[in-house]
Amino acid sequence: MKAYQDMNREELMSLHTDLSKQYNNIKSLGLNLNMARGKPDFAQTELSLAILDIVNSHYDFGEKMEYCNYGILDGIPEAKEFFAEILETTPEHMIIYGNSSLTIMFDQISRGYTHGYLGNTPWCQLEKVKFLCPVPGYDRHFAITEHFGIEMINIPLYEDGPDMDMIEKLVNNDECIKGIWCVPQYSNPSGIIYSDEVVKRFSQLQPAAKDFRLFWDNAYIVHHLYDEHKQVLNILSECEKNDNADIVFEFCSTSKITLPGAGVAALATSLANKKDILSHMSIQCIGHDKLNQLRHIEYFNKVENLDIHMQKQAALLRPKFEAVLDIFNKELNGLGIGQWTKPLGGYFITFESLHNCAKDIIEKCKEAGTILTSAGAPFPYGKDPLDSTIRIAPSYPTLEELKQATELFTLCVKLVSVEKLLSQMN
Ligand SMILES: Cc1ncc(COP(=O)(O)O)c(C=O)c1O
């Protein structure tokens, strides 16, 4: 197969005619597909519906009658134990919340802004506040910091994690930098896992700002697609070893384990941070939904059962990821017009097109009836400097829909790339 860059004008023109015909044929089918949504399909959520049968009016509450009432602000002890085991810490470091880890992240930024962490100056009283954003990253993280008027700085994300040289230089010298967004295991959207070396360097940071925090969003900590997998190093214990325990807030939730929107979210942090957070939380609420916490604990009972549950989910998700990757391989390998990640877990594949092509590819897919995540979404302010990163979300469509959508996607990649190369010859 000849790389597009090696083709002359005539070859590209004839290819363009051929691809345009194929595109118009697909367009006439009137497809209505969506590869934008990073959420589970019903088959996946169905695996967890039995959760709803466990804690009901027949449940013997015995010693747990208080779970039906207000109180127990940091979560029921069983839930603290369960999440502590997942995050490899101890229950006293845990706070168990309501249904969404994103809400906890929003709250933490909000508290930094209005009240400050551990007696530090609230950010609203500072002239400038900055945050580091490894890119590509999760658009909702960036939306939170943008919402508070925090200046965001792009940090390149490599196969083993973000650019640590750049992070150390910035964080250790600029007091305005108050935090960084990190998805250390199966990052959204590249699916990369931070190496041990990267985690260790994070734990050894010597920030100029006393209230600098790692926003360590371990949303995909148990979301392995294959039995053999790597596990990101435990940031909490690494930070403790380096006398840096207060620099990390670690988040996770069961949103993509059980039922998105009806799961349980948790935070792990140092004892000092926990005390500080609870002093604010006690004003904010009288206790989260402890019955949902109990439901989840009764359902999983032990973390080993969680592993079995995640293997069942992987059995549903794996064929979808593999279908996309097979089509990418078959249609695009050797053409020199794109690269893609091959994640071992999480929810996304990242596609990198030729520069200045991502917006056009997404637009062409849309015109032919397939919605993708908006161009620029994985970047602060929605601006992809190279206009080349596209987030692919294989989890929601059926396998058949996904194959159709991916075939169309690869066709649009070819068509837009040919057009770009031709325009550069003019
Ligand atoms: C990295 C990351 N964090 C958090 C979330 C949302 O989590 P929650 O439902 O617990 O708010 C998502 C959802 O896609 C995500 O990808």
Side-chain angles (χ1 to χ4, degrees):
M1 204 166 284
K2 197 167 180 182
Y4 283 18
Q5 279 90 344
D6 297 336
M7 292 186 183
N8 62 31
R9 192 181 172 77
E10 286 63 43
E11 286 172 310
L12 285 173
M13 293 283 279
S14 126
L15 186 57
H16 187 260
T17 310
D18 184 36
L19 293 170
S20 299
K21 256 191 225 146
Q22 291 179 43
Y23 179 72
N24 287 330
N25 285 343
I26 296 197
K27 211 169 155 185
S28 67
L29 298 176
L31 300 178
N32 182 14
L33 305 170
N34 194 315
M35 272 208 300
R37 288 177 288 205
K39 57 184 196 179
D41 63 3
F42 185 67
Q44 205 181 310
T45 50
E46 207 177 12
L47 289 175
S48 312
L49 286 181
I51 281 186
L52 302 174
D53 303 331
I54 298 176
V55 179
N56 52 29
S57 60
H58 306 293
Y59 183 79
D60 177 10
F61 280 91
E63 304 282 295
K64 300 176 181 171
M65 281 184 280
E66 280 310 306
Y67 293 5
C68 298
N69 217 318
Y70 277 138
I72 322 187
L73 190 58
D74 63 347
I76 63 172
E78 305 89 313
K80 283 193 283 186
E81 258 173 51
F82 181 76
F83 280 100
E85 198 175 333
I86 294 175
L87 298 180
E88 298 175 295
T89 180
T90 50
E92 64 268 26
H93 290 272
M94 300 299 313
I95 304 178
I96 314 300
Y97 289 72
N99 69 329
S100 158
S101 60
L102 205 67
T103 308
I104 316 177
M105 295 175 225
F106 185 100
D107 274 355
Q108 282 312 104
I109 296 282
S110 175
R111 282 182 196 128
Y113 194 82
T114 56
H115 287 78
Y117 303 145
L118 294 174
N120 283 283
T121 307
W123 301 341
C124 65
Q125 293 173 17
L126 303 176
E127 200 118 298
K128 192 163 251 335
V129 175
K130 301 181 200 165
F131 238 73
L132 305 186
C133 302
V135 289
Y138 179 37
D139 55 348
R140 288 181 183 272
H141 286 160
F142 305 151
I144 295 176
T145 24
E146 186 172 4
H147 187 68
F148 283 89
I150 294 170
E151 182 182 315
M152 294 180 278
I153 301 170
N154 290 4
I155 304 288
L157 187 64
Y158 306 127
E159 272 182 26
D160 62 345
D163 185 329
M164 291 309 297
D165 290 341
M166 189 172 172
I167 291 172
E168 284 164 357
K169 209 159 145 209
L170 287 165
V171 170
N172 295 354
N173 294 296
D174 186 348
E175 219 186 333
C176 300
I177 297 176
K178 300 299 187 187
I180 179 166
W181 291 114
C182 293
V183 183
Q185 175 103 28
Y186 307 133
S187 67
N188 175 352
S190 324
I192 64 124
I193 304 172
Y194 291 10
S195 69
D196 291 358
E197 157 86 11
V198 162
V199 176
K200 285 185 179 160
R201 285 177 74 176
F202 266 119
S203 71
Q204 288 159 5
L205 284 174
Q206 295 298 320
K210 286 203 200 76
D211 50 353
F212 172 87
R213 294 291 181 273
L214 307 173
F215 279 64
W216 201 258
D217 181 0
N218 228 332
Y220 299 108
I221 185 167
V222 292
H223 300 66
H224 315 294
L225 285 172
Y226 298 91
D227 289 345
E228 250 180 58
H229 53 255
K230 278 197 278 176
Q231 191 75 39
V232 72
L233 200 61
N234 180 349
I235 186 70
L236 297 161
S237 57
E238 288 303 313
C239 287
E240 265 171 32
K241 270 189 227 162
N242 290 298
D243 223 3
N244 233 346
D246 293 339
I247 70 165
V248 57
F249 297 139
E250 182 169 16
F251 311 92
C252 76
S253 79
T254 68
S255 287
K256 295 205 178 135
I257 295 174
T258 57
L259 304 166
V264 178
L267 173 140
T269 193
S270 69
L271 300 183
N273 281 335
K274 177 171 169 178
K275 192 165 164 222
D276 193 37
I277 292 169
L278 288 177
S279 74
H280 294 281
M281 244 173 82
S282 62
I283 312 291
Q284 187 180 26
C285 96
I286 320 178
H288 288 105
D289 181 348
K290 293 177 294 298
L291 293 180
N292 199 31
Q293 294 176 15
L294 182 61
R295 236 180 251 136
H296 276 73
I297 297 309
E298 288 285 2
Y299 180 68
F300 287 119
N301 195 8
K302 292 197 294 260
V303 170
E304 292 92 272
N305 292 333
L306 170 67
D307 292 341
I308 295 167
H309 178 83
M310 293 314 288
Q311 283 162 18
K312 288 185 197 158
Q313 281 201 13
L316 295 173
L317 273 174
R318 208 168 37 236
K320 295 188 171 185
F321 274 74
E322 289 177 351
V324 173
L325 295 173
D326 282 351
I327 295 172
F328 281 0
N329 264 331
K330 186 166 83 60
E331 294 296 330
L332 300 175
N333 225 0
L335 301 183
I337 53 173
Q339 291 177 323
W340 51 93
T341 55
K342 295 154 193 96
L344 302 176
Y347 259 65
F348 304 101
I349 295 168
T350 294
F351 186 87
E352 291 289 338
S353 69
L354 295 180
H355 295 175
N356 302 313
C357 286
K359 262 195 209 129
D360 292 348
I361 293 169
I362 290 168
E363 190 51 39
K364 274 227 178 331
C365 284
K366 189 173 162 199
E367 275 172 33
T370 294
I371 306 293
L372 295 165
T373 307
S374 325
F379 292 80
Y381 312 107
K383 284 191 196 137
D384 174 357
L386 299 176
D387 183 24
S388 63
T389 301
I390 300 176
R391 187 181 88 157
I392 307 284
S395 57
Y396 192 69
T398 65
L399 196 54
E400 251 346 277
E401 288 170 341
L402 190 65
K403 285 181 185 167
Q404 264 189 318
T406 310
E407 297 279 359
L408 171 67
F409 175 77
T410 54
L411 179 61
C412 294
V413 170
K414 290 180 194 174
L415 195 51
V416 170
S417 305
V418 170
E419 284 169 4
K420 192 58 64 186
L421 291 170
L422 278 169
S423 76
Q424 285 164 357
M425 285 178 173
N426 287 335

